[in-house]
Structure formats: C-alpha cells, structure tokens
Amino acid sequence: AQTVTQSQPEMSVQEAETVTLSCTYDTSESNYYLFWYKQPPSRQMILVIRQEAYKQQNATENRFSVNFQKAAKSFSLKISDSQLGDTAMYFCAFIHTSGTYKYIFGTGTRLKVLA
Amino acid sequence: EPEVTQTPSHQVTQMGQEVILRCVPISNHLYFYWYRQILGQKVEFLVSFYNNEISEKSEIFDDQFSVERPDGSNFTLKIRSTKLEDSAMYFCASNLDRVEGGTQYFGPGTRLTVL
C-alpha cells in the first residue's frame, strides 16, 4: 500500500527558532517525487519544496530544507528562522513517475509559530 | 505568474441538489485533477483527466461525480445528487506534463457545504 505518515499532528516553535516536521512514506516504486505543501488558514495549497527521489542531494528553498533518507523512506522538513507567517498546516506528499500520477498526501502537521 | 482559479469560493446547497464546481487551469497545462479535503482530514485524490477523458479515478469518485472540459479552458466537477458527506473543500490542480517533476499547481479551492 502507498501511504504517507506524519506522526506529529501539532507542533509549535518560537519565532526565529528552527523546527523539523517528520514524514515517512511507503512505496515499492523506485522513481517518485516528494513534496511539502503548506496550507494556511485560507486553505490554499502552496508548494513549499520538492525532492526528486533519484537525487541524493537534499533540496533547499530559502529557509526550507529537507532531510531525505531514501533507504529509511523518510522525508523531513526543516524550517529555519521561523516566522509568524509560517503558521499553517503542512502536508507531505509523494507521486510516482510512472503509471498513476496522483498525489498521496499525509494527514498533516499543524504548525504554530509563537511570537 | 499564471494561476489555477476556481469558482465559486463557497457553495451552499441542499442535500439532493446538483452542483457544478468550476476550475480554470493554467492555460498551457494538459493534465487536470480534482482532490477533496473533508474538514480536518487529509487531501484525497478524486480524478485525473487528460486528452478529454478520465485517466484515473479513486473509489470516492462514484457515479454521482462527473468531470468535463466543455470549452477548452474550464474544467468542471459535477456532483449530481449531493449528500451531507460531500461537504468538503474541493481543489482543482493542473500540470503541463508529467515529467516536469510531477508538480501539480493547485487552485484556491471551493468550499462545498451540503445542508
């Protein structure tokens, strides 16, 4: 079964601190992409960062970076210098590159950045 | 920057009524998707659409649902006879092709409330 697990339903972090959101997934495929999406209170889905499974180098996007451990099927998101605007629901997702192209989402982590 | 748009932002309907949710994907995109998010739950795939036909559908996408691209720009989701459990946020997404990293671009969503 293809599943994505986010084991932290809620987290909080002080402004300017660093926080790591965890994600594990299960797939028998070798080629896929992994994503983190942010969903603020407006409920829009905003792409935060993307990782190709065939790349060993961890993706970074400004204050956002990932720790991708393919063997462990782990894909955590690190947010550095947290800002109040980072307060949102964060969803981890993956998509295969062959056959189906639907996203499989995790259940989300609600992150609150405290002033 | 091009965006996926969705109308209406909020639709309220009576149980048993038909609703049509509208999406305008990014203009040169070829692949289109609908996802659903029941309040407090994860985002779930409903259907994908390419070349004027359904590519894949989930078990949620039963006979009461249909999709079409009536005029080359709009992409619609019709729910024939709404049920209380259809209350959810519905997201449209699109991408240009499946090898651009798999990234799907989401619209802002339509909140459907069935009374």
Side-chain angles (χ1 to χ4, degrees):
Chain A
Q2 300 159 8
T3 58
V4 177
T5 302
Q6 294 179 250
S7 59
Q8 305 150 314
E10 292 188 2
M11 295 189 72
S12 61
V13 62
Q14 289 295 135
E15 197 175 7
E17 297 290 301
T18 295
V19 64
T20 299
L21 310 183
S22 66
C23 172
T24 58
Y25 58 94
D26 187 23
T27 179
S28 56
E29 301 285 331
S30 57
N31 296 317
Y32 49 89
Y33 292 87
L34 294 156
F35 304 85
W36 280 96
Y37 276 86
K38 170 185 176 181
Q39 187 181 47
S42 66
R43 297 189 75 182
Q44 170 106 40
M45 295 292 284
I46 301 167
L47 177 67
V48 174
I49 200 164
R50 182 187 84 190
Q51 174 80 43
E52 294 90 337
Y54 62 86
K55 286 188 178 177
Q56 293 187 338
Q57 185 174 7
N58 289 323
T60 62
E61 193 72 42
N62 301 315
R63 297 182 296 108
F64 299 89
S65 62
V66 298
N67 183 6
F68 173 47
Q69 303 289 328
K70 190 171 184 179
K73 295 181 181 174
S74 169
F75 182 60
S76 60
L77 174 69
K78 185 170 84 170
I79 307 174
S80 304
D81 186 25
S82 298
Q83 300 175 0
L84 295 178
D86 296 333
T87 293
M89 196 77 168
Y90 287 81
F91 290 98
C92 178
F94 81 81
I95 189 168
H96 291 144
T97 58
S98 61
T100 180
Y101 283 81
K102 65 184 180 187
Y103 278 173
I104 307 294
F105 282 94
T107 51
T109 296
R110 185 176 304 278
L111 176 67
K112 187 169 184 179
V113 180
L114 307 171
Chain B
E1 187 175 330
E3 292 181 334
V4 177
T5 60
Q6 291 185 243
T7 54
S9 56
H10 190 192
Q11 174 92 46
V12 181
T13 190
Q14 294 291 325
M15 190 170 57
Q17 295 297 302
E18 175 182 288
V19 294
I20 297 176
L21 310 183
R22 290 182 168 81
C23 169
V24 179
I26 295 172
S27 62
N28 62 339
H29 282 188
L30 301 175
Y31 298 86
F32 314 110
Y33 311 84
W34 284 102
Y35 290 83
R36 179 181 84 175
Q37 185 185 30
I38 294 171
L39 186 63
Q41 298 187 21
K42 66 180 176 181
V43 178
E44 298 175 292
F45 169 79
L46 288 178
V47 66
S48 60
F49 191 86
Y50 169 70
N51 199 26
N52 280 320
E53 61 183 27
I54 291 174
S55 309
E56 183 178 2
K57 59 183 180 180
S58 72
E59 58 219 23
I60 302 169
F61 193 88
D62 60 23
D63 291 345
Q64 69 163 341
F65 291 93
S66 62
V67 290
E68 65 175 0
R69 191 157 156 80
D71 57 12
S73 62
N74 290 285
F75 178 51
T76 62
L77 174 69
K78 182 192 291 186
I79 310 175
R80 282 189 204 28
S81 177
T82 49
K83 304 172 192 167
L84 294 176
E85 55 264 37
D86 293 329
S87 293
M89 196 78 166
Y90 288 81
F91 293 100
C92 173
S94 70
N95 59 5
L96 174 59
D97 76 55
R98 291 173 167 176
V99 294
E100 65 159 357
T103 304
Q104 296 172 17
Y105 298 86
F106 284 81
T110 292
R111 182 185 303 239
L112 177 64
T113 302
V114 182
L115 303 176

